[in-house]
Amino acid sequence: MSSARDQILKRVNDALAPLPERAPLPDWDRELVHVRETAIPPSTDLWALFSERLKSVNGEPVDDLATLVNLLRENGWLHGYCDPALWPELQSAFDESFTVETDFDRTRVDDYAFGITAVAGAIAETGTLILGDNTTSSRLGALTPWAHIAVVRDAQIHPDILAAINALPEDPNLIFVTGPSKTADVEGILIEGVHGPGRQLALRR
């Protein structure tokens, strides 16, 4: 006879088992989303707007790879994780003073000072990053290091949340990230970096 503990763990494991097929998205009329006209002209430089709004929520846009590497070195963030699909593109900028792993070891979450991952999209109007299961190689690599660097390509930047919703990819799980992790649970005092990265950067590629 199995113990109560075994029975509980079995129920948890059964609940976590992949579904035989993905649950369908709710049936909704996309026209209903358009509650207002966008205030962002089509000619807007979306990276510039995204950068401005990201800064307003204490995020940090980074225009080029050399600047990012210098920032990592200046802060002493020399050990980190990088999405294996991105590493061949970025590796040449990192010298031997860095140790970068492309397999995230969840038993050593405290060892990683930074994590570099790809995004599913970004929203210029709010400075928001969209992380997805299909595009973020390791969720822990994005959420547990002190500094998270999201690699954003110009084509992935949507002007506003309505455009982003209309372009959402087929993905079982999406997270919208607007600035560093923050909480005000204790006496209403806002503290950053408690439940996730304390520094949220976006690298333009």
Side-chain angles (χ1 to χ4, degrees), residues 142-164:
L143 300 182
T144 58
W146 174 250
H148 174 228
I149 299 100
V151 174
V152 180
R153 303 183 194 280
D154 285 354
Q156 294 178 297
I157 306 175
H158 306 287
D160 54 31
I161 191 169
L162 301 182

Short mmCIF file of all heavy atoms in Angstrom, two decimals, residues 142-164:
data_model
loop_
_atom_site.label_atom_id
_atom_site.label_comp_id
_atom_site.label_asym_id
_atom_site.label_seq_id
_atom_site.Cartn_x
_atom_site.Cartn_y
_atom_site.Cartn_z
N ALA A 142 15.97 32.63 -17.25
CA ALA A 142 15.44 33.99 -17.42
C ALA A 142 15.00 34.60 -16.10
O ALA A 142 15.02 35.82 -15.95
CB ALA A 142 14.26 33.97 -18.39
N LEU A 143 14.60 33.76 -15.15
CA LEU A 143 13.95 34.29 -13.95
C LEU A 143 14.79 34.22 -12.68
O LEU A 143 14.47 34.91 -11.70
CB LEU A 143 12.64 33.54 -13.71
CG LEU A 143 11.60 33.63 -14.83
CD1 LEU A 143 10.34 32.89 -14.44
CD2 LEU A 143 11.29 35.08 -15.18
N THR A 144 15.85 33.41 -12.64
CA THR A 144 16.59 33.28 -11.37
C THR A 144 17.88 34.08 -11.29
O THR A 144 18.24 34.49 -10.18
CB THR A 144 16.88 31.80 -11.06
OG1 THR A 144 17.64 31.23 -12.14
CG2 THR A 144 15.60 31.01 -10.87
N PRO A 145 18.63 34.33 -12.36
CA PRO A 145 19.85 35.15 -12.20
C PRO A 145 19.49 36.59 -11.82
O PRO A 145 18.39 37.08 -12.13
CB PRO A 145 20.52 35.09 -13.58
CG PRO A 145 19.96 33.86 -14.23
CD PRO A 145 18.55 33.78 -13.72
N TRP A 146 20.44 37.27 -11.18
CA TRP A 146 20.21 38.66 -10.77
C TRP A 146 19.94 39.54 -11.99
O TRP A 146 19.09 40.42 -11.96
CB TRP A 146 21.40 39.19 -9.99
CG TRP A 146 21.28 40.64 -9.66
CD1 TRP A 146 22.01 41.66 -10.18
CD2 TRP A 146 20.34 41.23 -8.76
NE1 TRP A 146 21.59 42.86 -9.65
CE2 TRP A 146 20.56 42.64 -8.77
CE3 TRP A 146 19.33 40.72 -7.95
CZ2 TRP A 146 19.81 43.52 -8.00
CZ3 TRP A 146 18.58 41.62 -7.17
CH2 TRP A 146 18.83 42.99 -7.21
N ALA A 147 20.68 39.30 -13.07
CA ALA A 147 20.50 40.09 -14.29
C ALA A 147 19.96 39.21 -15.41
O ALA A 147 20.55 38.17 -15.72
CB ALA A 147 21.82 40.73 -14.71
N HIS A 148 18.85 39.61 -15.99
CA HIS A 148 18.31 38.90 -17.15
C HIS A 148 18.48 39.78 -18.37
O HIS A 148 18.07 40.95 -18.37
CB HIS A 148 16.83 38.57 -16.96
CG HIS A 148 16.21 37.98 -18.19
ND1 HIS A 148 15.00 38.41 -18.70
CD2 HIS A 148 16.64 37.00 -19.03
CE1 HIS A 148 14.72 37.71 -19.78
NE2 HIS A 148 15.69 36.86 -20.02
N ILE A 149 19.09 39.22 -19.40
CA ILE A 149 19.27 39.94 -20.66
C ILE A 149 18.37 39.29 -21.70
O ILE A 149 18.54 38.12 -22.05
CB ILE A 149 20.73 39.90 -21.14
CG1 ILE A 149 21.65 40.56 -20.12
CG2 ILE A 149 20.86 40.59 -22.49
CD1 ILE A 149 22.38 39.61 -19.22
N ALA A 150 17.38 40.03 -22.16
CA ALA A 150 16.46 39.53 -23.18
C ALA A 150 16.92 40.04 -24.54
O ALA A 150 17.11 41.24 -24.72
CB ALA A 150 15.05 40.02 -22.88
N VAL A 151 17.13 39.13 -25.45
CA VAL A 151 17.57 39.51 -26.80
C VAL A 151 16.33 39.83 -27.63
O VAL A 151 15.45 38.99 -27.82
CB VAL A 151 18.39 38.38 -27.44
CG1 VAL A 151 18.72 38.71 -28.88
CG2 VAL A 151 19.66 38.14 -26.64
N VAL A 152 16.27 41.07 -28.11
CA VAL A 152 15.10 41.57 -28.83
C VAL A 152 15.51 41.99 -30.24
O VAL A 152 16.47 42.76 -30.42
CB VAL A 152 14.48 42.79 -28.10
CG1 VAL A 152 13.27 43.30 -28.86
CG2 VAL A 152 14.12 42.43 -26.67
N ARG A 153 14.80 41.48 -31.22
CA ARG A 153 15.05 41.89 -32.60
C ARG A 153 13.96 42.88 -33.02
O ARG A 153 12.81 42.80 -32.58
CB ARG A 153 15.08 40.66 -33.51
CG ARG A 153 16.13 39.65 -33.04
CD ARG A 153 16.26 38.44 -33.93
NE ARG A 153 17.03 37.39 -33.28
CZ ARG A 153 18.35 37.35 -33.19
NH1 ARG A 153 19.07 38.32 -33.74
NH2 ARG A 153 18.97 36.37 -32.57
N ASP A 154 14.35 43.81 -33.89
CA ASP A 154 13.43 44.89 -34.26
C ASP A 154 12.08 44.36 -34.73
O ASP A 154 11.03 44.93 -34.42
CB ASP A 154 14.06 45.76 -35.35
CG ASP A 154 15.16 46.66 -34.80
OD1 ASP A 154 15.35 46.67 -33.57
OD2 ASP A 154 15.84 47.32 -35.59
N ALA A 155 12.10 43.27 -35.50
CA ALA A 155 10.85 42.74 -36.05
C ALA A 155 9.93 42.20 -34.98
O ALA A 155 8.75 41.94 -35.25
CB ALA A 155 11.16 41.65 -37.08
N GLN A 156 10.46 42.01 -33.77
CA GLN A 156 9.65 41.44 -32.69
C GLN A 156 8.96 42.51 -31.85
O GLN A 156 8.22 42.18 -30.93
CB GLN A 156 10.52 40.58 -31.77
CG GLN A 156 11.10 39.34 -32.44
CD GLN A 156 11.99 38.58 -31.47
OE1 GLN A 156 13.01 39.08 -31.02
NE2 GLN A 156 11.58 37.37 -31.14
N ILE A 157 9.22 43.78 -32.14
CA ILE A 157 8.67 44.85 -31.31
C ILE A 157 7.31 45.28 -31.88
O ILE A 157 7.21 45.73 -33.02
CB ILE A 157 9.62 46.06 -31.25
CG1 ILE A 157 11.01 45.62 -30.79
CG2 ILE A 157 9.06 47.11 -30.29
CD1 ILE A 157 12.04 46.73 -30.81
N HIS A 158 6.28 45.16 -31.07
CA HIS A 158 4.93 45.60 -31.44
C HIS A 158 4.68 46.99 -30.87
O HIS A 158 5.16 47.31 -29.78
CB HIS A 158 3.89 44.62 -30.90
CG HIS A 158 4.14 43.20 -31.30
ND1 HIS A 158 3.91 42.75 -32.58
CD2 HIS A 158 4.63 42.14 -30.60
CE1 HIS A 158 4.23 41.47 -32.65
NE2 HIS A 158 4.67 41.08 -31.48
N PRO A 159 3.93 47.82 -31.56
CA PRO A 159 3.71 49.18 -31.04
C PRO A 159 2.96 49.21 -29.72
O PRO A 159 3.27 50.00 -28.85
CB PRO A 159 2.93 49.87 -32.17
CG PRO A 159 2.38 48.77 -33.01
CD PRO A 159 3.33 47.63 -32.88
N ASP A 160 1.94 48.36 -29.57
CA ASP A 160 1.15 48.40 -28.33
C ASP A 160 0.65 47.00 -28.00
O ASP A 160 0.88 46.04 -28.75
CB ASP A 160 -0.02 49.38 -28.45
CG ASP A 160 -0.89 49.09 -29.67
OD1 ASP A 160 -0.99 47.91 -30.05
OD2 ASP A 160 -1.45 50.04 -30.23
N ILE A 161 -0.04 46.90 -26.88
CA ILE A 161 -0.46 45.58 -26.41
C ILE A 161 -1.49 44.95 -27.35
O ILE A 161 -1.55 43.72 -27.49
CB ILE A 161 -1.00 45.65 -24.97
CG1 ILE A 161 -1.18 44.24 -24.40
CG2 ILE A 161 -2.29 46.45 -24.91
CD1 ILE A 161 -1.46 44.22 -22.92
N LEU A 162 -2.30 45.76 -28.01
CA LEU A 162 -3.30 45.21 -28.92
C LEU A 162 -2.63 44.52 -30.10
O LEU A 162 -3.01 43.43 -30.52
CB LEU A 162 -4.24 46.32 -29.40
CG LEU A 162 -4.99 47.05 -28.30
CD1 LEU A 162 -5.92 48.10 -28.91
CD2 LEU A 162 -5.77 46.07 -27.45
N ALA A 163 -1.60 45.18 -30.64
CA ALA A 163 -0.85 44.56 -31.74
C ALA A 163 -0.16 43.29 -31.27
O ALA A 163 -0.10 42.29 -31.99
CB ALA A 163 0.17 45.55 -32.30
N ALA A 164 0.35 43.32 -30.04
CA ALA A 164 1.03 42.14 -29.50
C ALA A 164 0.05 40.98 -29.34
O ALA A 164 0.35 39.84 -29.68
CB ALA A 164 1.69 42.48 -28.17
#
